[in-house]
Structure formats: structure tokens, C-alpha cells
Amino acid sequence: MDPEVISNFLVEQREAAPENLQQNFLDIEDYWDRKLWHQLTDTLITYYHDPASSSQRLPLFRRFILSFAEKINQLKFVSLGLSAATQCSDDRERLTFLTDLTEKVDKPSSQDAYVYSLVAASEVKLRLGDYDDAKKDLNKAESILDTFDSVETEVHASFYRTNASYYQGKQDFAAYYKNALLYLACIDLKTLSHEDAQARAYDLSLAALISDAIYNFGELLLHPILDTLTSTEHAWLRDLLFAFNRGDLAAYNVLEDNVSKCPLLEEHKTFLWQKISLSALTEAVFRRPPHDRAMTFETIARETQVQPQEIEILIMKALSLGLVRGSIDQVAEIARINWVQPKVLDMKQIDNMRVRLKDWDSSVNQLGHWIEGVGKDVWAA
């Protein structure tokens, strides 16, 4: 493009910009004249981050930035493109824009930028309901990401966020839970708005409860995003998660009425009872010392509030899911458990462990005194 045409365009844009942003244009013109591409790119990124620049992002990108696109960092080029894409009139136009952008950076030297743009395009496809094409793009992006030794966290964050959206739309709760947590691991939580953080905490909580593959959600219980539900109308959901974690049937019975507030939980109400029954079983085993984990079916029925005729099925389910290890004596109606899956403990559970440790210490001391008394002169000073 003719330098004079670009210069005149920048003057027009400077005059149309808000007064407080006109200095940015003077810097942009200066860096462009002197071909200081790095400084020019950073100034443009700063300008694009200002909400007041929204109306000028698209024309600036199309008529100015594209003229020197190959001279600047391609990841930053895509970042500018994504900011410009927010000003497209609808998702159809946005998808066309992002598809063109993706093709521009599809080069061996800029595969990170290619992935970044490809994932952004797939996110738009999800909004348009084209899940099949979106998944193809995400699979392609994942295969490229797997070849990198390192990549900017914003690229990984974008991938995990979009992948989570795909699985949420498909109601694959376990995959959504995994990708949503990976996304949160890639970002600073402070960059999320309070509303967005609450929404993600709500969705993650539902996924943890409803998934038939997640029985240990310690990562979520320890994540600060869960605290965003405190003192909100969804605070009960946080309490429900902790009740499930400790197998607290009494707490579940108190909170059960809230389940009807969420159609998705109401739909899975029978499964939720089965899930907390399994949690109550593992908690009952955990509370017992290792030498006292042969439990009768009657004891398990009392601890889990499950009907006696369903106890064997409950134990077999726990064994198949890897929540416990052991064996069942069907004739004697006894379950012998020798291992229980570790999980995050709340303060009450930690206090129970403290009591057990004190009992263990006391028994060790008693055994020492007994050996000392029986051995008498056998023991050498």
C-alpha cells in the first residue's frame, strides 16, 4: 500500500479518535515512519486494549496493520486480529475474518499464532452450532500444541477454554471439568470478572457432582474460584460439594431441597444419591483404623443408609471405580477393605485423624510398657 495513503489514513483516524487517545496515534505514526515494528506493535496492543478504541479497531487492522503484518511478531499480530474481530457485526462475519487471519499465519515459523487463531475460529463455530467442524479444529490445534516444548500461556488458556466450552455443550461433564480446571491453571483469576468467575464456579460444581467419572474433586474444593459462590444464591452448591466430599448424608438431606433449583441436578437426582452413598461408604472405611476394616453388610447399611439388599451392589460399584480395594465374603456378609482412595480433608476430617493419631500413639506406648514389663531383665540397659 502507498505510504502516503497510509499516512493520510492515520491522520484521519487520529482526528476521529477520542482526545485522550490521540497521543497514541502520534506514537503510532512516528514508529511506523521509522519502521520500529516492535514499538509499533506494543503501542497498537495498548491502544486496542482501551475500550474507547473499539470503533477503530477493525478499520485500523484492515487498512493499516495488514500492510506490515509479516514484519511483526505473529502471535501479537493474531492478538490484534482477535481484538479487531470483536467489532464484526455478527458471528458469520467474525468467522470469515478469523478464517482469513488463520490462513495468513499458517506457516512453519508461526504455528503458535496459527493455533491461537484456529482456536478462536473454532470458538465462533461453537456459538454457531457447528460442533463437528469446531472439534476438528480443536483436535488439530491439540496435535500441534503437543509438539511444542513451550508456548505462551495465553495460547494454552485459549485452547482449554474453548475445549471446555465444546465438552460443556456436549454434556461430557468429566472432560469439561478437566479442561475448565486446566484453563483456570493458565490464567490469573483476577483477570476474570466477578460474574464470569461465579459462572465458572457454578458450572464446575455441577460437572463435579453430575459426572459419573469424578468421585474425587479435591482440586475444585481447594481452588479459590469456589469461594466466589460464598454469600450468593448458589452458596448451597458449595456446601453440597463439601458434603459429598466427606460423605455427609445428614448435610445432603438438609441441602437436598435446593437440588430442585437446578434442572440439571434434578434430572440426575437418583444418581446423586448413589454417588453420595459411595462417598459415605469410603468415609466410613476411612474413619476406621487399618486393622478394623472388616465391615458387616449391616454396618455398611447403617453408615450409608442404603437398603440391605443393595449393599453388595454398592460395594462392587466402589471396587470397580477404584474407590476402595478389598474383597467381599458373600456368605458371611462381610466386606474386607484394605485401601481407600485418598481425598481432600476438611477440618472435621482432619480432627478425626488427630484423634486417631493420639489413639495410635497411646496404643504404641501401652505396647512399649507391656514389652518392658514382660521382658524385665531380658532388656539390656
Side-chain angles (χ1 to χ4, degrees), residues 77-96:
F77 169 61
V78 170
S79 181
L80 290 167
L82 299 188
S83 294
T86 62
Q87 301 310 304
C88 292
S89 58
D90 56 36
D91 278 337
R92 291 291 176 189
E93 181 189 349
R94 191 170 294 110
L95 181 58
T96 301

Side-chain angles (χ1 to χ4, degrees), residues 66-265:
L66 283 177
S67 68
F68 56 87
E70 295 184 358
K71 295 180 172 66
I72 64 176
N73 179 288
Q74 295 298 278
L75 194 58
K76 292 182 179 180
F77 169 61
V78 170
S79 181
L80 290 167
L82 299 188
S83 294
T86 62
Q87 301 310 304
C88 292
S89 58
D90 56 36
D91 278 337
R92 291 291 176 189
E93 181 189 349
R94 191 170 294 110
L95 181 58
T96 301
F97 177 89
L98 291 174
T99 301
D100 291 341
L101 179 64
T102 303
E103 290 174 357
K104 283 181 173 61
V105 293
D106 186 9
K107 296 172 287 188
S109 60
S110 57
Q111 286 296 283
D112 54 346
Y114 173 68
V115 168
Y116 197 23
S117 185
L118 185 65
V119 168
S122 69
E123 189 172 14
V124 177
K125 289 178 182 179
L126 289 178
R127 290 202 295 269
L128 291 170
D130 190 356
Y131 276 73
D132 291 340
D133 266 5
K135 186 56 179 170
K136 288 177 185 175
D137 289 346
L138 289 169
N139 286 341
K140 188 174 185 179
E142 185 174 24
S143 66
I144 296 172
L145 283 172
D146 287 342
T147 66
F148 293 151
D149 292 328
S150 64
V151 69
E152 294 292 334
T153 54
E154 62 188 303
V155 179
H156 265 134
S158 175
F159 170 75
Y160 289 130
R161 184 188 66 243
T162 307
N163 221 23
S165 296
Y166 170 81
Y167 287 117
Q168 186 176 27
K170 288 293 187 180
Q171 293 201 346
D172 186 337
F173 300 110
Y176 164 75
Y177 180 84
K178 173 187 173 183
N179 281 275
L181 282 176
L182 286 169
Y183 165 64
L184 293 177
C186 292
I187 65 168
D188 182 350
L189 203 56
K190 294 176 183 176
T191 61
L192 294 179
S193 68
H194 189 63
E195 293 74 19
D196 190 14
Q198 277 189 4
R200 291 189 180 280
Y202 181 82
D203 290 340
L204 273 165
S205 299
L206 293 184
L209 290 168
I210 294 170
S211 172
D212 59 1
I214 302 172
Y215 289 86
N216 188 342
F217 25 81
E219 281 183 280
L220 179 57
L221 296 179
L222 293 174
H223 203 289
I225 199 169
L226 198 59
D227 294 333
T228 61
L229 296 179
T230 306
S231 302
T232 70
E233 61 179 325
H234 302 306
W236 62 270
L237 193 56
R238 181 180 182 276
D239 296 336
L240 190 61
L241 278 171
F242 279 96
F244 266 76
N245 185 61
R246 62 178 181 268
D248 193 336
L249 293 168
Y252 176 77
N253 291 331
V254 171
L255 296 165
E256 188 177 12
D257 290 341
N258 292 291
V259 169
S260 59
K261 296 178 182 178
C262 175
L264 203 54
L265 287 179

Side-chain angles (χ1 to χ4, degrees), residues 376-381:
K376 295 184 180 177
D377 296 338
V378 173
W379 303 103

